Amino acid sequence: MQKSIYAEAIIQQTNSSLTMEEVIKLIEKPRFKEQGDLAFPCFLLAKTMRKAPQKIAEELAAKIDHPLFEKVIAEGSYVNCFLHKQTVSKRIIDAVLAAGSAYGSHSFGKGQSIAIDLSSPNIAKPFSMGHLRSTVIGNSLAHIAEKCGYKAVRINHLGDWGTQFGKLIVAYQRWGSEEKVRQAPIKELLALYVKFHKEAEKDSSLNDEGRLWFKKLEEGNEEAESLWKWFRDESLQEFSKIYELLGVEFDSIAGEAFYNSKMEEALEVLSAQNLLSSSQGAEVVDLEEHDLPPLLAKKSDGATLYATRDLAAAMYRQEQYHFSKAWYVVGFEQTLHFKQLFLVLGKMGYKWADEMDHIPFGFVLKDGKKMSTRKGEIVLLEEVLNEAVQLAEGNIEAKNPSLANKQQVAKMVGVGAVIFHDLKNDRQNNVEFSLEDMLRFEGTTGPYVQYTHARACSILRRSALEVGTESSAGLTDETSWAVAKLLMEFPNIIEKSFYQKEPSAIAKYVLELAQEFNKYYSQVKILADDSEQESRLALVKAVTIVLAEGLRLLGVKAPIEM
């Protein structure tokens, strides 16, 4: 809003060929608040105006004038603008109050579909901390896309097919007990999977037996299919408990097995486009021109691979959802696979392949090492979530024992702590698993932001004044101005997080807003009965709206009491 006005003033005074959008993107926040509220670098104008950037900055600063600007000064090669605190703070607060939770929304998605492939755990294996990242990053990106005007289609592409199921069938037949699996399905199936790999190190023929049983499964063998369905059903029941805790829902849970019947079509298109070539008895798509290894479409024994399945899945999703973009929230280790996949889809003649993106993320590490399901070195997500909720309940009992809905609030806080701990990190970084850090209720944590929101809600409840959709007047003190400026940034943060596919931008923003609000709360008597009380309460209400919405976009609930 204010950036647009500043950008317009710059364009008017320079007759620049730069577009409004380009100028807005160049406008930044000065390093120190004493330098102003908005800064425009003049380097790009130097070439067309044939003057030194410092000279352009001096001339521009002398010419720009607007009722919303208190003063405009030249600072080296920058033109720095000081906004009129009272007028602008009123405009910002009014905009938040009028829009409510819709504040910060964009319409550039134009109602188009965006298919987001997220979570995708393997059945018959526990939902570990390693699966958390894809789930919460993908869910947050779906919320952000919706905030930008897209229709997000959340797809859980379950790992329910592949050689590992042949191995699991062999393990169950040799060492399994139906009674034990029924009592604790995931725990027992994991134990069998780990045992298989330990035994296979001593006896490599077990791997051949596993491959043979997977081939039987592919061919529709009754015993193999019956065991596979049982493993799948038990897994889905376990997963649904975790998704419910995390508040994550899906539009599709069609896993790899769903695409078995659709792979032939993908192979037919590859063949019709003369893209398949033979390599040691296997069928591949050559990608040498892109300096990449070939995409393996069919093994020498006739078995298809997950690359073929992913081609079929992409074709099906485009047909089903008519997506304008497709995002795959999958770890770094699959980078090569997705490069190959998108290139091959492009070669098949699908223009929409240009709008497909792999969104990689780092590992969850335990003691600096990647977790491994094969070796049984994992931390179970359900146990972490339950422990987080119990800890939150203990904290609430100690600090606010008379709180209504204690269990409900503890669930919001405990689960929120786990989600926020992940999303506050840049997604490409590795995250060290630390229950202690995750569940801390102060510092840069989810509970800190939630508590700030609850504190602001409590101020509003204690006030006799009702805050409407418009503040009576703007505020002029420095602490309220710092908060108002951050509220002004929210729409830009949403846009940035969408284009960078980076939920951490929102997590860092809500932390900064919570910190600034707490400074304001500690320095200003918000409920003092004077002429500015209504304006102060309007600012508090605006903060509750933006904090709650920022947390929602991360998939975190915002309790009104804690």
Side-chain angles (χ1 to χ4, degrees), residues 2 72 97 121 159 224 233 240 261 306 322 329 341 411 425 430 492:
Q2 278 63 240
V72 179
L97 296 178
D233 291 346
S240 66
S261 60
Y306 71 90
H322 310 291
V329 186
L341 182 73
K411 187 174 154 187
N425 294 283
N430 293 335
N492 300 332

Side-chain angles (χ1 to χ4, degrees), residues 70-169:
E70 212 165 79
K71 62 177 176 177
V72 179
I73 62 163
E75 179 97 29
S77 301
Y78 287 79
V79 186
N80 289 7
C81 168
F82 291 77
L83 296 167
H84 193 282
K85 291 185 183 65
Q86 191 165 9
T87 313
V88 174
S89 66
K90 177 173 164 52
R91 281 175 68 131
I92 296 162
I93 295 163
D94 287 355
V96 179
L97 296 178
S101 60
Y103 179 67
S105 298
H106 297 277
S107 57
F108 56 79
K110 298 175 183 171
Q112 299 172 101
S113 287
I114 180 164
I116 303 179
D117 187 314
L118 67 146
S119 195
S120 311
N122 291 321
I123 66 161
K125 290 184 190 174
F127 204 119
S128 76
M129 283 300 296
H131 296 109
L132 177 73
R133 301 220 70 195
S134 172
T135 307
V136 298
I137 292 168
N139 188 49
S140 179
L141 287 173
H143 285 311
I144 293 163
E146 286 163 346
K147 186 82 174 167
C148 294
Y150 285 91
K151 181 186 182 299
V153 181
R154 294 162 174 83
I155 298 167
N156 193 354
H157 187 72
L158 293 167
D160 61 359
W161 205 248
T163 315
Q164 72 261 35
F165 295 104
K167 292 176 181 179
L168 195 58
I169 288 167

Side-chain angles (χ1 to χ4, degrees), residues 90-321:
K90 177 173 164 52
R91 281 175 68 131
I92 296 162
I93 295 163
D94 287 355
V96 179
L97 296 178
S101 60
Y103 179 67
S105 298
H106 297 277
S107 57
F108 56 79
K110 298 175 183 171
Q112 299 172 101
S113 287
I114 180 164
I116 303 179
D117 187 314
L118 67 146
S119 195
S120 311
N122 291 321
I123 66 161
K125 290 184 190 174
F127 204 119
S128 76
M129 283 300 296
H131 296 109
L132 177 73
R133 301 220 70 195
S134 172
T135 307
V136 298
I137 292 168
N139 188 49
S140 179
L141 287 173
H143 285 311
I144 293 163
E146 286 163 346
K147 186 82 174 167
C148 294
Y150 285 91
K151 181 186 182 299
V153 181
R154 294 162 174 83
I155 298 167
N156 193 354
H157 187 72
L158 293 167
D160 61 359
W161 205 248
T163 315
Q164 72 261 35
F165 295 104
K167 292 176 181 179
L168 195 58
I169 288 167
V170 171
Y172 177 74
Q173 288 168 332
R174 287 191 173 220
W175 312 294
S177 144
E178 184 178 342
E179 189 189 344
K180 278 186 179 177
V181 172
R182 292 204 183 277
Q183 277 173 356
I186 299 292
K187 189 180 175 186
E188 188 57 26
L189 291 172
L190 173 65
L192 288 170
Y193 187 73
V194 171
K195 186 174 175 68
F196 179 93
H197 284 281
K198 278 182 181 165
E199 295 298 324
E201 282 175 18
K202 298 178 233 167
D203 177 7
S204 61
S205 70
L206 273 174
N207 288 318
D208 297 328
E209 206 180 325
R211 280 191 283 273
L212 178 68
W213 270 99
F214 177 57
K215 192 88 167 66
K216 286 182 180 180
L217 179 59
E218 284 200 303
E219 289 162 356
N221 174 281
E222 201 174 316
E223 186 186 352
E225 211 166 71
S226 166
L227 285 170
W228 173 79
K229 278 181 179 165
W230 179 39
F231 297 159
R232 189 180 192 275
D233 291 346
E234 294 289 355
S235 299
L236 285 174
Q237 276 185 22
E238 292 294 304
F239 292 164
S240 66
K241 292 181 204 168
I242 292 159
Y243 290 131
E244 196 181 330
L245 260 177
L246 290 171
V248 177
E249 294 177 352
F250 298 96
D251 300 288
S252 163
I253 55 162
E256 291 181 48
F258 175 79
Y259 297 103
N260 280 343
S261 60
K262 296 167 177 53
M263 285 190 285
E264 205 50 53
E265 188 191 340
L267 289 167
E268 281 168 15
V269 176
L270 287 169
S271 182
Q273 299 280 359
N274 294 318
L275 293 171
L276 290 175
S277 55
S278 191
S279 173
Q280 297 174 334
E283 293 196 70
V284 303
V285 181
D286 184 65
L287 294 170
E288 200 177 340
E289 63 188 290
H290 300 284
D291 292 324
L292 292 175
L295 178 130
L296 196 53
K298 210 171 192 179
K299 284 184 183 172
S300 53
D301 64 0
T304 48
L305 291 113
Y306 71 90
T308 328
R309 226 170 264 119
D310 275 358
L311 291 171
M315 290 161 66
Y316 173 82
R317 289 170 189 177
Q318 176 55 226
E319 194 181 299
Q320 196 73 9
Y321 307 119

Side-chain angles (χ1 to χ4, degrees), residues 31 100 102 104-105 146 172 198 254 333 416 421 482 506 550 562:
R31 197 168 168 196
S105 298
E146 286 163 346
Y172 177 74
K198 278 182 181 165
E333 61 272 35
H421 176 76
I506 292 173
M562 270 173 77

Side-chain angles (χ1 to χ4, degrees), residues 5 65 77 136 150 212 234 257 371 378 381 452 460 480 503 530 540:
I5 294 164
D65 186 32
S77 301
V136 298
Y150 285 91
L212 178 68
E234 294 289 355
M371 297 178 192
I378 54 170
L381 179 57
T452 305
L460 296 172
S480 67
D530 58 27
V540 174

